[in-house]
Amino acid sequence: MIKPFIITLTGPSACGKGLITEAIIEYSKTLQRNGIDFHPFMFTKDVTRSYRFKEALSILNNEQIDVNSVFTVPECDDLVYRTYGDEYALSTDNLTKALEENKSPIVVINDIRVVEELKKIYKGNVLSLFIFRHIIPDVEQHKKASADRGGVSAQKTLSRYEKAVALYRVFIENIHIFDRVILNVRENDIGLAKLQARGVIDGVFNGKIKLDKAIRRGSKLFIVSGNAASGKDDIIKAAKLYGKQQADILIKSTSRQEEDGDVGEIICKYVPKKNKMETYISEYNLALNKIEERMTFEKYVSQNKNELINRYKQYILNTINSIKISNLNIDIQTLLQQNIEGCISFEQHAQVEYFLAKQAKIRMVMTPLQRFWQDLKKTQNKFKKNGKISKDDYFAILNKWFELNTSASYIPLDEIREKTTEQRILEIQKIEDPKENKSWLINNEGNSYIFYENNELYGEPIKYGFEIGKYVTEWKNGTRNKHLVLTASLPNMFRICREQFGSENVITAFTYSQISQAEHEAHSDIATGNAKSKEYNDIVRYAEHIADFDYALIYAETSLTNLSGNQKDELVDQMFRLFRVYNSEVI
């Protein structure tokens, strides 16, 4: 039997904390009718600001609100924090009294220190939720929201905007503190947020969400799910490039063709044709040789002499502040004769400029793979009608540009699938949710694999598979000393992995980005990209299975063409912070 517990809601202004409070209270009535003893209520805090218009209206209508306006913080309040220039305070005595009366207080708290204090005081009795509405909110949206709320000055509006951005950073830096993240991200669809609120409460009562969870340090299998274009590939690339000492990538095989960006975590049945790549490689080397022939140091100096002289003069001025060269038209010979101490010679300076200019030229030459994907996309675009390619055209392009992968590392999916039909049928019968894609565990020739199907390509499911036997053995023997990262979007697969690796060794995370489905489809460069558009329903899957996801990772990006880089860095930062949380060493 679950004891009454405290629910904390954290998130920026207008993210939907009131909506989630109402949704939880509303859902409790359904639970009570089903015999579950759960009595949540809106907990009132003291605040040293005046009531807002809507709050005053609620008071006049005898409706409860979550704040009590005071001039100074009462002595009885022992948890105090400051936000938007005002002090918010609450009494642990009142919280304790509510719990003793079998009530579950819902407390809005925008201070991570207070959330941590509550988790420490009421150990195993606090559910902490973070709510997202707009990931990196726009100040104009805040102005509108503030106007709707009433009683918020322009200065306070700016303060709220800055606080929202700061809270996003607080979330990143303390991602492990929150038990779940509610993504209130669809305009005019409060049902999605309410579905998540209900799922979180169900998760507490069915035991999937542990209020007394402890961070059990050690190597973990991180399963990363998410929409198309949500940053999963960036996490894989970052883990492979920057996290070599912390994590390995669980490599999958797939029945589809290789795509631009398939680096580091997937081996495809169809790969770029060798003869095409050889042609691109030859052209690339030829282009580099032409740069070497045409861009000699002597030609570079001759063609850019005046500009190089002026840059050299400016370099001396910038390097030696005490040297006064009043006449920038001074000839080069006079300048060289000065032999200024601490400065390199004109020729050395020109050599550096030449080296940088040549490197810039070389970087402008497209690599063989870049040429391949660019030319492939041009070919595909010729055959696209209404953004799609017909089945016949798709396979014609496939045969012209790709060939079968003969690498020994590619798992023969079709062959193994046919040999293990009985196992597959028995495993699929275990799937509880009929809407789930098919995933199953099989054994073949002494090896254990997980196979699954996700999305369709011209009526045929795209198949995936990966070997887990050797990794399971490492965990059982205690010889695994690094994390393992897998991208997979099927909750049924979470069940299989938890059964095989041990529940305590599996961490699940959902990646969400603001890149829209329309934006993704507009820049999809291959037919399978259109199939992947179905992954945008994964936000619904997250809502339906929120208790199965330990964390949510937020990718604050809205465009596939005007990438700023900062949002990608922050997404990767969230993943690496989780690595560090679960590392064996004490934080």
Side-chain angles (χ1 to χ4, degrees):
M1 180 178 174
I2 300 293
K3 298 185 297 182
F5 54 93
I6 298 168
I7 303 167
T8 66
L9 305 181
T10 303
S13 177
C15 70
K17 294 186 286 289
L19 169 69
I20 299 304
T21 299
E22 292 172 6
I24 293 173
I25 294 172
E26 178 187 324
Y27 187 51
S28 70
K29 296 171 185 175
T30 300
L31 295 177
Q32 290 164 24
R33 286 194 294 270
N34 292 330
I36 295 176
D37 197 21
F38 178 51
H39 304 276
F41 72 99
M42 183 190 298
F43 185 84
T44 302
K45 305 186 300 293
D46 294 317
V47 59
T48 59
R49 63 163 172 78
S50 301
Y51 288 117
R52 297 175 186 139
F53 181 87
K54 285 192 174 181
E55 291 168 345
L57 181 62
S58 296
I59 291 171
L60 293 174
N61 289 332
N62 295 316
E63 297 170 353
Q64 186 184 2
I65 59 174
D66 71 336
V67 292
N68 175 44
S69 179
V70 295
F71 288 105
T72 58
V73 173
E75 283 292 326
C76 62
D77 289 346
D78 49 352
L79 283 178
V80 184
Y81 63 97
R82 189 175 180 84
T83 185
Y84 308 131
D86 300 305
E87 289 175 339
Y88 289 72
L90 58 153
S91 164
T92 55
D93 285 344
N94 290 339
L95 286 171
T96 301
K97 182 181 178 184
L99 294 173
E100 289 173 347
E101 293 175 351
N102 199 33
K103 296 177 182 178
S104 294
I106 304 174
V107 194
V108 173
I109 299 176
N110 272 359
D111 189 294
I112 192 67
R113 176 187 58 81
V114 178
V115 176
E116 288 181 302
E117 285 292 329
L118 285 175
K119 280 181 169 278
K120 189 185 300 180
I121 297 167
Y122 300 96
K123 189 172 178 60
N125 226 20
V126 177
L127 172 69
S128 56
L129 305 177
F130 199 95
I131 305 171
F132 270 91
R133 179 65 175 167
H134 302 289
I135 298 170
I136 295 291
D138 180 83
V139 71
E140 293 304 320
Q141 292 171 336
H142 267 267
K143 285 179 180 178
K144 183 179 183 304
S146 295
D148 291 343
R149 291 160 74 95
V152 182
S153 66
Q155 184 177 356
K156 283 279 181 80
T157 298
L158 180 60
S159 175
R160 288 180 184 280
Y161 168 71
E162 292 171 344
K163 182 72 173 180
V165 175
L167 271 172
Y168 174 47
R169 190 65 220 172
V170 165
F171 166 74
I172 291 173
E173 293 171 358
N174 300 277
I175 189 170
H176 64 289
I177 295 295
F178 298 100
D179 295 304
R180 289 299 183 274
V181 175
I182 291 179
L183 298 172
N184 182 24
V185 292
R186 281 193 173 175
E187 294 292 338
N188 305 316
D189 187 4
I190 63 174
L192 191 72
K194 287 185 174 183
L195 179 60
Q196 293 170 68
R198 294 194 295 268
V200 167
I201 299 304
D202 284 340
V204 173
F205 283 101
N206 65 28
K208 287 187 175 181
I209 298 177
K210 308 290 186 184
L211 299 185
D212 58 349
K213 77 169 184 180
I215 299 295
R216 294 181 176 86
R217 294 188 175 90
S219 302
K220 305 295 178 186
L221 168 63
F222 285 92
I223 305 179
V224 181
S225 303
N227 289 354
S230 64
K232 298 188 299 290
D233 292 344
D234 297 301
I235 287 174
I236 291 296
K237 289 175 186 175
K240 188 175 177 64
L241 187 61
Y242 313 131
K244 293 179 180 179
Q245 299 304 315
Q246 296 188 62
D248 293 323
I249 309 302
L250 206 166
I251 308 296
K252 300 180 295 190
S253 292
T254 178
S255 62
R256 64 168 171 79
Q257 69 182 49
E258 187 174 321
E259 298 178 335
D260 189 9
D262 277 341
V263 180
E265 63 97 19
I266 200 156
I267 302 172
C268 300
K269 182 176 181 178
Y270 300 99
V271 293
K273 279 191 172 179
K274 288 187 179 67
N275 59 357
K276 279 194 172 290
M277 289 307 301
E278 286 169 358
T279 300
Y280 286 125
I281 291 169
S282 176
E283 291 174 353
Y284 178 74
N285 290 331
L286 183 63
L288 296 186
N289 290 335
K290 284 183 179 179
I291 290 174
E292 289 290 342
E293 291 171 5
R294 297 175 180 177
M295 195 175 175
T296 65
F297 175 67
E298 291 75 17
K299 286 181 181 178
Y300 177 74
V301 172
S302 173
Q303 293 169 356
N304 302 278
K305 187 173 183 180
N306 291 334
E307 187 178 352
L308 288 171
I309 289 172
N310 285 333
R311 286 189 197 167
Y312 183 58
K313 292 175 183 178
Q314 194 61 52
Y315 153 73
I316 291 178
L317 284 172
N318 293 340
T319 307
I320 310 296
N321 291 327
S322 59
I323 299 296
K324 304 295 182 185
I325 303 177
S326 57
N327 181 12
L328 280 180
N329 293 320
I330 187 171
D331 66 272
I332 190 64
Q333 293 301 323
T334 304
L335 191 61
L336 292 175
Q337 287 170 6
Q338 291 182 1
N339 193 25
I340 299 170
E341 187 177 350
C343 294
I344 60 175
S345 68
F346 170 74
E347 184 170 351
Q348 289 174 310
H349 190 271
Q351 286 280 7
V352 173
E353 294 275 6
Y354 165 68
F355 172 80
L356 293 174
K358 189 165 75 170
Q359 288 297 308
K361 277 273 189 187
I362 290 171
R363 291 180 71 87
M364 289 175 65
V365 180
M366 295 181 73
T367 66
L369 269 177
Q370 287 173 332
R371 281 280 309 280
F372 177 89
W373 297 120
Q374 181 193 64
D375 291 352
L376 173 63
K377 186 172 183 178
K378 287 179 181 176
T379 300
Q380 291 170 334
N381 286 338
K382 290 178 183 178
F383 291 90
K384 275 187 176 180
K385 294 177 182 177
N386 299 321
K388 296 184 178 181
I389 301 174
S390 72
K391 182 177 180 178
D392 290 342
D393 288 338
Y394 169 76
F395 282 105
I397 295 170
L398 179 71
N399 292 330
K400 183 177 180 180
W401 289 80
F402 293 87
E403 62 187 17
L404 284 172
N405 190 343
T406 58
S407 168
S409 56
Y410 175 73
I411 298 172
L413 301 174
D414 295 319
E415 178 186 326
I416 295 177
R417 191 178 187 276
E418 288 302 315
K419 287 167 61 178
T420 57
T421 301
E422 270 187 42
Q423 290 184 55
R424 177 171 61 88
I425 292 171
L426 290 172
E427 280 290 317
I428 289 175
Q429 288 174 353
K430 295 179 183 179
I431 297 176
E432 297 176 2
D433 186 347
K435 292 184 292 185
E436 269 304 316
N437 291 58
K438 298 173 182 176
S439 54
W440 59 92
L441 173 73
I442 61 171
N443 292 291
N444 181 64
E445 297 181 358
N447 294 322
S448 298
Y449 300 90
I450 293 178
F451 275 34
Y452 66 99
E453 298 171 354
N454 196 18
N455 300 318
E456 286 188 351
L457 185 59
Y458 301 108
E460 284 292 319
I462 301 175
K463 305 177 188 72
Y464 298 84
F466 52 94
E467 184 182 350
I468 64 167
K470 61 180 180 180
Y471 299 116
V472 170
T473 300
E474 287 177 348
W475 255 286
K476 286 180 178 177
N477 295 339
T479 56
R480 184 77 194 164
N481 59 8
K482 288 199 287 185
H483 301 306
L484 190 62
V485 183
L486 164 70
T487 59
S489 299
L490 313 178
N492 182 57
M493 194 185 301
F494 302 171
R495 174 189 63 81
I496 296 172
C497 287
R498 288 186 175 114
E499 289 174 356
Q500 297 300 309
F501 290 88
S503 294
E504 71 280 3
N505 295 322
V506 177
I507 306 297
T508 54
F510 181 84
T511 59
Y512 168 76
S513 79
Q514 290 188 144
I515 294 174
S516 67
Q517 182 171 346
E519 168 79 2
H520 171 72
E521 290 176 347
H523 297 93
S524 173
D525 60 351
I526 55 177
T528 49
N530 292 320
K532 283 188 171 185
S533 291
K534 294 180 181 178
E535 290 183 19
Y536 274 85
N537 286 329
D538 277 3
I539 185 66
V540 177
R541 182 179 290 160
Y542 174 77
E544 292 174 339
H545 296 275
I546 188 170
D548 291 306
F549 289 95
D550 298 304
Y551 299 99
L553 311 177
I554 311 299
Y555 184 31
E557 189 60 85
T558 58
S559 171
L560 284 169
T561 55
N562 299 310
L563 302 174
S564 65
N566 291 339
Q567 288 83 358
K568 188 180 294 185
D569 292 344
E570 291 190 324
L571 173 70
V572 170
D573 189 13
Q574 293 167 63
M575 189 76 246
F576 275 80
R577 284 180 184 275
L578 287 182
F579 286 168
R580 290 197 296 273
V581 165
Y582 288 95
N583 282 347
S584 298
E585 296 79 9
V586 177
I587 301 173

